[in-house]
Amino acid sequence: MMKRNTIQRSLVLEAVNQLKSHATAEEIYEAIAVSHPTVSRATVYRNLNQLAESGEIRKMAIPGGPDRYDHRCHNHYHAMCRKCRRVFDIEMPYIDDLEKSVEDAHGFAISGHDIMFRGLCPECQRKDASGDRQA
């Protein structure tokens, strides 16, 4: 079956790849709307879901916040700044066999994992440090 709206699909994929910021659907829509104001939010959201389902981008569920979309599809870890809520890639080896060492008391057949580290990004650390001196 041929995919419809290949131009819109290409625009959405290009926006995710250019933003490289674990953008939300709304941020991706806003980036596209600047040069393509006729593309609807629904079209952007639908294409994001299709691209994630086909493995061309990675959809990240964020507890307490909107889903984000990653241009890097390989397994890797992330950190979220607790102040500005931006998401960053963590450069460390992915632990492929971590699931084998997890014994679940409820009988889950574990098939993968996502780990989100929390902390303060360098920019928010600088803002906090400069804010402390001004107080």
Side-chain angles (χ1 to χ4, degrees), residues 58-112:
R58 186 175 212 161
K59 184 177 184 175
M60 301 169 48
I62 305 293
D67 291 342
R68 294 178 179 262
Y69 297 87
D70 195 346
H71 69 289
R72 296 174 70 191
C73 294
H74 68 279
N75 288 332
H76 61 286
Y77 300 116
H78 296 95
M80 177 182 278
C81 180
R82 67 176 189 259
K83 194 165 199 175
C84 69
R85 307 278 299 159
R86 287 186 299 161
V87 176
F88 300 85
D89 289 327
I90 295 292
E91 300 303 329
M92 66 174 273
Y94 186 81
I95 306 167
D96 285 312
D97 59 353
L98 182 61
E99 294 88 12
K100 292 176 189 161
S101 63
V102 175
E103 289 189 32
D104 185 80
H106 301 285
F108 271 76
I110 307 232
S111 59

Side-chain angles (χ1 to χ4, degrees), residues 3-31:
K3 296 273 185 210
R4 289 179 37 215
N5 300 325
T6 54
I7 292 168
Q8 289 93 333
R9 185 180 172 93
S10 296
L11 288 172
V12 172
L13 182 58
E14 184 179 316
V16 172
N17 286 328
Q18 286 179 347
L19 288 169
K20 292 184 169 70
S21 61
H22 306 93
T24 64
E26 187 62 23
E27 290 167 340
I28 294 162
Y29 166 75
E30 289 170 2

